[in-house]
Structure formats: structure tokens, C-alpha cells
Amino acid sequence: MNAIAEALFVAEPFQAAGDIVIDCNVNNIFYGDFLAVRDSTVPIEKKKITGFIGPSGCGKSTVLRSLNRMNDLISAFRFEGSVMYHGQDIYAKKVDPVVVRRYIGMVFQQPNPFSMSIFDNVAFGLRLNRFKGDLEERVERALKRAALWKEVKDKLKNSGLSLSGGQQQRLCIARAIATEPDVLLMDEPCSALDPIATRQVEELMLELKQNYTVALVTHNMQQATRVADTTAFFSVDISRGGRTGYLVEMGPTRQIFEAPREQLTKEYISGEFS
Amino acid sequence: MSNLFRAADAASGISGPPSSVEYAADRIFRSIAFASAFIIILLVAYILWEIGEKAMPAVTEYGLGFITGTTWNVSKEEFSVLPEIWGTLYSSLLALVLGGIFGISIAIFLTQDFIHHRMATIFRTIVEMLAAIPSVVYGLWGIYVLIPLLKPAAEWLHETLGWFPLFGTDLAGPGMAPAALVLAIMILPTVAAISVDAFRRIPYKVKEAAYGLGTTRWEAILKVMLPTASSGILAALVLGFGRALGETMALAMLIGNSNQISMSLFSPANTLASLLASNFPEAGQVEVQALMYAALVLLAITFLVNVVGLAVQQYTVRKFEGKK
């Protein structure tokens, strides 16, 4: 087989209708020598929910974590390309990743509250940003929006770790939105939640997009159809021996699910993907 | 034990109950574990009983005056240990502050990505090797290296800041400062190693959460990692303090064995353990009884410190980690 003659597939760039808040152009993402993601252009539209879907190992989480430089915690990580945010490449040398993460918040797959009280968990980001206003009011508002207030309002002094898994995840969401970040990245936020809590979080996402931008990685295709305005479908290429993820298709969620352009997308959303 | 589900044998070709040998092995292991735990309790009780019995004449003779008085006069058979209690607690507390600060700093340095993890392992091994140095070697090092080194500094501090109680006297030779410093080095490996484990136990996702909110490295360490590791660090400090309270040989060589209560870092003092070690060899019957009483006091202090320390540690576990 002549691998060189075979041109690599690169998705058509998605032309978003509205303003782009984060314009992500991945050339290559490496973990050491391992090429994890190649050639993917993922524009994140302002005040919209952008869903990332695809099979395990397709690099959708890696791309999401590149948007606020979370992957910098892994020393072997290397990003080639650009992520333009308010006219500035966040991977430029002079950019401090700490500042990027203050504006672009993140909710993780596993609930990860700090071992401190529920109140202190939510107030953490506010205190970090030297917030001078009414701390209690902000904490209450964040907990209400995360659909957790009713359950915890009488035990704000209890440890965040004393809550159940689903409550912990909503606490982490409250912690992330308390500082009202410009963009919120959510990496499979509902994978540890029951259906009721999942619905509540989805409603929260829809409410958040009134003012903020959300990027969401999800394994649940129904979730993508319920909340995402735009959907990016990633796949993983194992034909050349590696496991390199890449963007297959990106477009309005309806179009991706009802009239996909690519055969791979069609197979994945109809469940034919092995 | 008979198998009540014999009927299921027909359906499943492979599954079956454990054999009687396996059940017996279970019982034997449980008995051994139970006996081991019980023997420890018996041993502690026996030691307490033996010391208590030998100390009894002194306890009835001197009563509570033994821990409030300040004289240890063999010829007059007047015995009391307040200076030794003071010296024990003061030297251990100083060592805990010094060893604690350095031990926790080392643990942060070794676990929070300041150096490559292979370097960290080498570093940690070296720190733990401090624990392998015999106490008497520390004592000799203190006498021949540390005390001459401290003397000029102590002199200067006493001359310029002599009004300050900590520097109220001059360092004539052995004294509180060299003793506490050596003690701090001796508890350092304990504090560092257990704190390292406490930091290592923090799941990666906690670190991610901190950085995800936009903390700088120091904010992540001070505001998230340190509170998360606090119960483990407290356990490290309790163990280190316990070790400092009971340390004997190096202190007997360095503290000066002088029966006085002083705030000064440079004045000689004495500790309970060092009193026991220095006085036993030549003690007569009455003094031995008094020394046994002193041993009982030391045991009580150590026991109290451990109980209080554990209680505080359990409290932080409940408070911060939400465990019942």
C-alpha cells in the first residue's frame, strides 16, 4: 500500500454565521512523539453552545483542553497551530496560561471539589480574583444556577466532599460559573450524573448561553442534539498505525444529525460505528 | 459448612463452594490477626503496669508535688521534675516548628513538579537516610560541629538582643539551641516522608481543578494542595512531635542536663528522657523509684500528645473531607 500517495482527509472549514470568540486552528497536537490530533479547525461561536462528539480517543477532549491551555499541565504536551481569543493567540510566548484560565473556565468529567466547605468551594474563584462585592450573594446565585441551592442552603459549612457524586458535579459547575467566565469549557460534565441532574445541567447550559459561550464535549448524542447549536464531529484514524484524532465535519447541529455530508458522520450518528 | 445450593451444581459446571480447607485458612488468618493486635495491647498494659508498680513508692511519697517542684537532689532525696517537663516540651516544640517548616517545604518541593520525579525519588531517599544516622552520632556532631558553629551567632544575638527572652543568656556550651536544632534534623525525615505521602495521595483531578480556575502555582499549592493534604501533614507533625518527646541520647549529650527553667535558647536545660538516661546508671533504690515516676510522666505526656494530635487530625478529616 502506498501511504504517501493517499492524501490525508481534512474537513471543510466551518463558516460560522455569528461572531467567533475562540478560533481554534490545530495543525498538530503531540504528547511526546505521539500525534494525538491533526488538522482540525474549530471555531467557537459567541453565546452559542458548541458540541464536540466522536468515538473514544478521537481527541475531542484534547482539543477542548487546548482552548484554555489545561494541557500545559502535561509536560510532554505540544501544540502546533493557533487559538485566537479576542485577537490574541493564547499559545503566544508572552501569554500567561493562568490569565487565559481566569477568562475561560472549565468543568471536568470527574467531579473535583476541593476539600473545603461548600461555600468556600464556590467562593474560591471569587476570592482568587479579589472580588470585592457581596460574596454570599454571588455564592447563592451560582449555586441556584447550578440547581444545587435547595439541597445545600442549610449546610454551606459542610465539606464539599460530603455531597453525592451528582451534587459534587453541580458544585463544581457552581464554582466554575461563580466568576462568570467569558467562555465555559465542559468536558463530559454529565457522565457522572443521573438523568434528572443531567437535565438540570442542560437547562443551565441553555441559560448560560444567554450571556456566555459554552463548548461541550459529550458522549451522549441526544445531549448534543438537545443543547448544542453547532456540532463538531471528530474521528480517530488508526489506519496508519497511530491513533490520531481529527475533525471530520462541523456544522449546525441539525445539519450534522439530519443531513451529514460525510459517510463517517452518518455511520457514527446512526450507531454503525464500530 | 454444607452447600445449600447443591441443586445449582447441575446448572453450573464450574462454580462451587470454597473447600473446608479454605474456610479453615480463613479462620486461622483471622485468629492470627486478632492475636497480634491483642498482644500489642497486652504488651503496652504490661509495660505500664511494671513501671507503675516500680514508681508506686515515689508516687505516694511525692504525689503531685513531683510535677510542680523544681529540685532534683539525690542526697536530700528531694525529687521533682517541672524543669524536665518544661525542657521536654520546649525542646520538642522548637524542633517541631523548625522540622515542621522544613519538612513540609521539602515535601512541597518534592511533589509539586519543581524537579523531575526521578530526581525527587533520589532526594527523598537522601532525606530518609537522615533517619538512619544513629542518635549518638547526632550527639557527637552536635558537640564537635554544631555548638562551635552556634557560639559566635549566639554571642552576637545575646549582646545585641539580650533584652529579648529567647536570647536572655549566652551559650556556654551545651544548651537548648543545639539540642533543638539536632532534634529538628532528627524529626525532619519523619515529617518530610509522611507529608510527601500526603501530597502524593491528592488526586490529579484536584490539581486540575485548581489550575482550571486560574490559580498560579503558589496559589494552587497554598490554597488547594496544602489544605487538601492537611490531615496527612498533621499526622506527620504528631508523629514527629512524639519522636522528639522521647528522643534520649542526642539530647543527653547536647542539652546540658541542668535543672532549670529558662526561655533562653542558649541556656542549658534538661528533658525527662535525658534525665532518665543520665541518672539511671548510678541511681540508688529511692532515686530509681523517682526515675520510674518520671518515666510515667513522660509516658503520660507522649500519650496525651498522641491522643490530642489524633483528635485534631480526625477533626480536620471530618471538617475538610466530609467523612463521618
Side-chain angles (χ1 to χ4, degrees), chain B residues 132-275:
Chain B
I133 299 174
S135 185
V136 64
V137 176
Y138 275 115
L140 288 172
W141 179 76
I143 290 171
Y144 289 111
V145 180
L146 193 59
I147 292 176
L149 218 64
L150 280 175
K151 260 188 176 162
E155 208 169 295
W156 183 83
L157 279 169
H158 175 58
E159 273 167 19
T160 46
L161 295 166
W163 51 269
F164 195 59
L166 288 184
F167 312 125
T169 63
D170 199 5
L171 186 68
M176 186 56 87
L181 275 173
V182 164
L183 210 47
I185 298 171
M186 292 178 82
I187 69 168
L188 189 68
T190 312
V191 176
I194 298 173
S195 302
V196 162
D197 290 338
F199 279 110
R200 288 243 169 94
R201 270 202 308 276
I202 301 175
Y204 181 69
K205 61 179 186 177
V206 173
K207 183 175 151 187
E208 267 188 342
Y211 283 103
L213 283 162
T215 58
T216 63
R217 181 189 260 192
W218 277 109
E219 282 165 341
I221 291 170
L222 292 179
K223 293 179 182 168
V224 177
M225 307 307 265
L226 210 53
T228 307
S230 60
S231 70
I233 292 172
L234 269 169
L237 293 177
V238 170
L239 271 171
F241 195 56
R243 170 122 205 254
L245 288 174
E247 175 49 43
T248 310
M249 196 58 218
L251 283 186
M253 294 165 81
L254 290 172
I255 202 156
N257 300 313
S258 154
N259 213 34
Q260 54 172 303
I261 299 175
S262 167
M263 274 298 281
S264 172
L265 294 176
F266 308 131
S267 123
N270 205 357
T271 71
L272 286 164
S274 141
L275 173 84

Side-chain angles (χ1 to χ4, degrees), chain A residues 227-247:
Chain A
V227 299
D229 300 292
T230 310
T231 299
F233 171 63
F234 291 80
S235 190
V236 55
D237 190 354
I238 51 176
S239 63
R240 265 169 291 272
R243 287 188 61 86
T244 301
Y246 63 101
L247 180 72

